[in-house]
Amino acid sequence: MSSENTLDDEDTFKILISTDIHLGYLEKDAIRGNDSYNTLNEILDCAKKNQVDFILLGGDLFHENKPSRRCLHSCITMLRKYCMGDSPVTFNILSDQTVNFNTTQFPWVNYQDENLNISIPVFSIHGNHDDPTGAEGLCALDLLSASGLVNHFGHSHSVERIEISPILLQKGSTKLALYGLGSIPDERLYRMFVNKQVTMLRPKEDRDNWFNLFAIHQNRSKHGPTNYIPEQFLDDFIDLVVWGHEHECLITPSRNEQQLFYVTQPGSSVATSLSPGEATKKHIGLLRVKGRKMNLQKIPLKTVRQFFIQDVVLADYEDLFTPDTPQVTKKVENLCYAKVSEMLEEAERERLGCPLTPEKPLIRLRVDYSGGFETFNTSRFSQKFVDRVANPKDIIHFLRKREQKEGIKDEFNVDYSKLVKPTAVEGLRVEDLVKQYFEAAEQKVQLSLLTEQGMGKAIQEFVDKDEKDAIEELITYQLEKTQRHLQSRGVTTEQDIDAEIQKFRDSKKNTTEEENDIREAINRARAHRMERGDPDLSDEPADVTMDSDEGSGTLPGPTRGRGRGGRGRGSRGRGRGSAASEAKPAGRGRSQRSAPAPQNRSILQAFQAPSQRSQIGGSSSFAADEVIIDDSDEDMPVTKATRPPPRLSSSSSSAFPKYSSQSQSQASRGVAFEDSDEEDNPFKGRSHR
């Protein structure tokens, strides 16, 4: 084996890569409450022991959009413990930091702040769970950025055009261009890529000598026609993509044969849903970059709770029972008991010699009872394993395939099969439910003024981020806009009004205008909340969380929890300075701030008496390589030979030319497999042609 000094020299970047930590997930659970905190502590401890140059996080550091005080306190404590110290930082930043870190009043990297003593810088983009919200567009990462613990980058302020400017790093002779793009709704980003509204900037000087690393947090697997980002959309000059948001650990770099770059998907460090993708072993990556060559080492996480999942199709056990067998339900229950016991025994064997692994594993048995079988009492079944598993309430999940019945039509021709899935609805988003409802609903309850996307977004804001005025403001805004349109068209009769409204609504579907309308209405709702002086609810986190990360944020619990109704917050209200001297009793809490119900008016009545509500602020626009790969589990070098530089430059420049969705030039590249065991240089390998 080669020594540490041979692996890591003054020209080699050492980067710890992790994504989707979901700090604070199920923090109120008596068994699983500390899982995410223990794993973050292990990740930071691993970074310190390996003496990395910096840590790169690919989004979703926090599980909640508004983390609890315990969550923020634990995160700050661990970052201060592991990332502050006297160890020198041995790389420099060459790019314009006011462009790279544009979300803070301290636009420079934290280790260059004379008031801070940083030994391991942390660079992070935001995910869909901890994305910026509110009128100020702030997220939990901005709190850590303002305190000097995390460098938040990759935040795009414009929804019309995105320019991704890299952080240019240099260590010795190695130059690294770090690109980042925080989470953006997939449909919008997909459309922007198609319309060539996404630009990745490149340095003018020595562009072929830079190793290009890109961190992104989007759907990688296809969840719909435009609800994902194809790898082919990314520029072909990129060398490695760190893909966040997907929870399945596929950390071994995979080559995109069309764009000829590599993609690594570290996955989540905590299981947030009981799905097969979460059952793969969790890893983080130690990336070494020297010149244009890279080496990615998998590091297994030891504090992650074990998770085993198995599928059982009852129809496959005809030799044991059939639906007509006497006491068949009891025999099915015995079969499930045996399967769960087998998984528990396997977990016990794997846990031997790993004292950091939690004692109780997660167990999920998915039972397909199609073909006439009946379910049994899962609560009674779970009592048998209450002291042995971490999730006793949801060990068994019953599912059934639905047979398609031809020739059955009801009065309104509703295809109810679209609403009923053969599998669980884990990860289904609120806007997806709204869209599916209106797709299958009868004609008389279809939307006539709003679009399905607008209604879905408004409901999501109401549910996910507690914007109580979002739905009302969307209706009011669309009503005002429709009234102005009808006035400009000179339509007066009720029949013509209905036809013109339908035409006006259809013309906005899936357009930028529709997104602008939704954003304007949501901004209005936020502004009204701020005018009323509603307090920030992040002090008291939601009690109910969503068990999936397939494409949406979490669902907060009911807003009327403890201390929020009646006189629940009286004692706290008297301790808030000037707010305590207001005329309203401080002890009334949120009971007096419920949004008034909108009056029921017809379109014609609303047109004759238009609302005079003033508009509140809108959005503003901003603007031949040879690859050698060794596919071993513990050390996977993926190397790229350095291209001959086109010309020598006397100085580095941070000015960038614009590159649209695809590069103009591309050399032919080959693939070879490295079989040699050269120990002196992990980045060097023989090519086989």
Side-chain angles (χ1 to χ4, degrees):
M1 293 295 294
S2 50
S3 64
E4 288 283 338
N5 294 332
T6 305
L7 285 172
D8 309 318
D9 55 29
E10 60 184 9
D11 296 325
T12 303
F13 273 101
K14 291 178 65 178
I15 309 166
L16 190 79
I17 295 177
S18 178
T19 66
D20 297 271
I21 295 174
H22 287 273
L23 197 65
Y25 175 71
L26 287 185
E27 62 181 346
K28 293 185 178 181
D29 189 278
I31 300 176
R32 305 165 63 184
N34 292 323
D35 286 3
S36 61
Y37 299 110
N38 294 336
T39 304
L40 176 61
N41 187 82
E42 180 186 3
I43 292 172
L44 296 178
D45 182 63
C46 179
K48 190 171 184 177
K49 289 179 178 178
N50 285 278
Q51 299 178 350
V52 301
D53 291 302
F54 65 88
I55 300 172
L56 177 61
L57 302 180
D60 279 354
L61 172 60
F62 297 100
H63 184 71
E64 298 285 351
N65 188 266
K66 299 176 181 178
S68 67
R69 281 175 290 189
R70 176 204 174 185
C71 184
L72 285 172
H73 177 266
S74 299
C75 182
I76 292 172
T77 300
M78 286 184 279
L79 289 173
R80 180 173 177 177
K81 176 181 177 181
Y82 291 103
C83 298
M84 284 188 168
D86 296 327
S87 301
V89 178
T90 57
F91 63 88
N92 297 318
I93 295 185
L94 309 180
S95 55
D96 185 357
Q97 298 186 45
T98 59
V99 177
N100 300 140
F101 311 112
N102 54 10
T103 62
T104 175
Q105 297 183 8
F106 308 97
W108 53 81
V109 70
N110 59 352
Y111 77 85
Q112 292 182 353
D113 194 313
E114 59 184 8
N115 299 314
L116 301 173
N117 205 18
I118 304 296
S119 60
I120 303 179
V122 178
F123 295 88
S124 178
I125 61 175
H126 64 262
N128 61 303
H129 279 249
D130 50 12
D131 60 325
T133 59
E136 300 84 5
L138 297 176
C139 64
L141 282 178
D142 292 318
L143 300 179
L144 302 180
S145 177
S147 61
L149 297 173
V150 169
N151 302 291
H152 180 203
F153 74 110
H155 182 190
S156 176
H157 296 279
S158 174
V159 297
E160 298 178 354
R161 179 169 294 277
I162 297 176
E163 288 189 351
I164 307 175
S165 181
I167 305 174
L168 301 181
L169 313 174
Q170 183 170 4
K171 182 180 180 182
S173 61
T174 300
K175 297 180 179 180
L176 175 67
L178 178 59
Y179 296 83
L181 182 61
S183 177
I184 295 176
D186 291 286
E187 295 90 343
R188 180 196 303 168
L189 186 58
Y190 186 101
R191 185 166 60 251
M192 295 180 75
F193 269 113
V194 170
N195 296 333
K196 301 187 182 301
Q197 295 173 328
V198 180
T199 305
M200 299 186 72
L201 306 180
R202 296 186 68 184
K204 289 182 178 179
E205 304 294 337
D206 300 328
R207 67 180 54 175
D208 292 331
N209 293 330
W210 290 88
F211 184 89
N212 301 293
L213 178 62
F214 182 34
I216 186 173
H217 191 96
Q218 304 291 154
N219 279 336
R220 186 182 179 192
S221 57
K222 189 173 182 179
H223 295 278
T226 62
N227 196 15
Y228 76 114
I229 302 301
E231 295 178 7
Q232 288 74 14
F233 281 0
L234 306 183
D235 289 279
D236 57 5
F237 67 81
I238 298 173
D239 296 293
L240 178 66
V241 179
V242 178
W243 207 296
H245 184 62
E246 299 287 354
H247 280 206
E248 184 178 3
C249 183
L250 302 173
I251 198 168
T252 303
S254 61
R255 177 184 169 95
N256 184 293
E257 296 297 338
Q258 185 171 344
Q259 298 298 90
L260 302 182
F261 54 63
Y262 285 85
V263 180
T264 177
Q265 182 179 303
S268 66
S269 57
V270 61
T272 61
S273 65
L274 302 180
S275 59
E278 297 277 16
T280 56
K281 302 302 179 185
K282 305 291 187 181
H283 294 79
I284 55 176
L286 182 58
L287 176 67
R288 292 179 172 89
V289 177
K290 183 175 182 180
R292 294 297 305 279
K293 308 170 188 177
M294 68 179 179
N295 170 289
L296 185 60
Q297 175 186 350
K298 293 195 303 185
I299 301 178
L301 293 172
K302 300 177 182 178
T303 58
V304 175
R305 190 175 297 275
Q306 296 169 292
F307 174 37
F308 295 88
I309 185 171
Q310 189 173 348
D311 293 334
V312 172
V313 181
L314 298 183
D316 295 341
Y317 293 86
E318 296 179 354
D319 55 334
L320 298 179
F321 46 72
T322 64
D324 300 327
T325 303
Q327 297 183 339
V328 62
T329 303
K330 182 63 176 178
K331 294 183 178 181
V332 169
E333 186 173 347
N334 292 337
L335 173 66
C336 294
Y337 182 88
K339 294 292 184 182
V340 172
S341 298
E342 289 176 5
M343 288 188 279
L344 286 172
E345 292 174 1
E346 182 181 356
E348 185 66 28
R349 288 193 299 269
E350 289 189 5
R351 195 168 60 249
L352 293 176
C354 299
L356 297 178
T357 303
E359 180 180 356
K360 297 180 180 180
L362 296 170
I363 300 294
R364 168 56 68 93
L365 185 66
R366 302 194 300 184
V367 182
D368 185 348
Y369 66 107
S370 305
F373 291 94
E374 298 294 334
T375 63
F376 54 80
N377 190 317
T378 57
S379 299
R380 184 179 59 196
F381 179 86
S382 300
Q383 291 299 318
K384 302 175 183 178
F385 302 97
V386 69
D387 294 327
R388 302 178 62 188
V389 301
N391 59 318
K393 295 182 179 179
D394 51 7
I395 298 176
I396 301 294
H397 174 65
F398 286 104
L399 56 92
R400 181 172 58 185
K401 295 180 181 178
R402 293 192 172 271
E403 299 81 5
Q404 298 292 336
K405 297 182 179 180
E406 301 292 338
I408 299 181
K409 297 182 180 180
D410 59 13
E411 182 180 356
F412 300 103
N413 296 323
V414 178
D415 185 6
Y416 291 103
S417 63
K418 294 182 179 180
L419 298 179
V420 182
K421 299 291 184 180
T423 58
V425 293
E426 295 174 350
L428 196 59
R429 304 181 305 165
V430 175
E431 57 264 44
D432 293 335
L433 291 172
V434 174
K435 184 177 180 181
Q436 290 181 11
Y437 170 79
F438 285 111
E439 284 179 351
E442 60 268 23
Q443 184 65 29
K444 62 174 65 176
V445 296
Q446 289 290 342
L447 293 172
S448 59
L449 184 65
L450 306 179
T451 61
E452 291 83 358
Q453 180 181 357
M455 179 60 76
K457 291 290 185 182
I459 294 177
Q460 184 188 21
E461 288 289 323
F462 177 84
V463 173
D464 285 1
K465 298 168 185 176
D466 204 24
E467 293 292 351
K468 292 183 170 52
D469 295 337
I471 300 175
E472 180 188 5
E473 284 299 331
L474 178 66
I475 296 173
T476 303
Y477 181 80
Q478 291 290 358
L479 185 60
E480 293 173 355
K481 188 168 184 177
T482 304
Q483 290 168 2
R484 292 193 299 270
H485 174 76
L486 294 176
Q487 288 176 335
S488 64
R489 302 286 292 182
V491 182
T492 55
T493 64
E494 187 168 357
Q495 183 177 1
D496 293 340
I497 287 176
D498 291 339
E500 187 64 31
I501 288 175
Q502 183 67 28
K503 181 179 178 182
F504 180 60
R505 172 183 174 274
D506 294 341
S507 66
K508 295 190 301 179
K509 277 190 174 182
N510 300 321
T511 63
T512 305
E513 181 182 2
E514 181 184 23
E515 287 191 357
N516 292 336
D517 291 347
I518 298 170
R519 187 168 59 255
E520 171 68 18
I522 293 174
N523 288 338
R524 283 188 175 195
R526 291 168 181 164
H528 288 328
R529 172 172 53 80
M530 295 177 64
E531 289 176 359
R532 294 195 306 267
D534 281 6
D536 191 349
L537 302 180
S538 60
D539 289 345
E540 299 179 61
D543 295 333
V544 181
T545 56
M546 200 172 193
D547 284 342
S548 175
D549 189 39
E550 288 293 325
S552 69
T554 57
L555 293 177
T559 56
R560 295 187 181 274
R562 51 178 177 78
R564 291 190 180 173
R567 300 181 177 272
R569 296 180 70 168
S571 59
R572 294 182 61 188
R574 285 190 288 270
R576 295 194 175 181
S578 60
S581 62
E582 294 179 0
K584 293 183 179 181
R588 292 293 181 183
R590 296 183 59 86
S591 59
Q592 294 181 351
R593 284 195 290 268
S594 59
Q599 297 179 353
N600 295 325
R601 298 182 296 174
S602 68
I603 296 297
L604 187 59
Q605 291 171 337
F607 170 66
Q608 293 171 350
S611 171
Q612 299 300 324
R613 180 175 297 185
S614 60
Q615 303 222 3
I616 301 175
S619 61
S620 58
S621 60
F622 302 81
D625 275 358
E626 182 177 302
V627 180
I628 306 170
I629 180 168
D630 183 1
D631 195 18
S632 61
D633 280 342
E634 297 187 0
D635 201 1
M636 299 166 297
V638 180
T639 65
K640 286 196 175 184
T642 308
R643 300 175 185 170
R647 57 192 176 95
L648 296 176
S649 174
S650 59
S651 62
S652 298
S653 173
S654 60
F656 306 100
K658 294 187 178 181
Y659 271 66
S660 244
S661 56
Q662 301 295 335
S663 291
Q664 300 299 323
S665 62
Q666 178 175 326
S668 61
R669 308 177 186 181
V671 179
F673 292 91
E674 172 60 32
D675 295 325
S676 63
D677 293 324
E678 293 188 19
E679 299 179 353
D680 294 334
N681 188 353
F683 304 102
K684 184 179 179 181
R686 297 192 302 271
S687 61
H688 306 277
R689 296 183 181 274

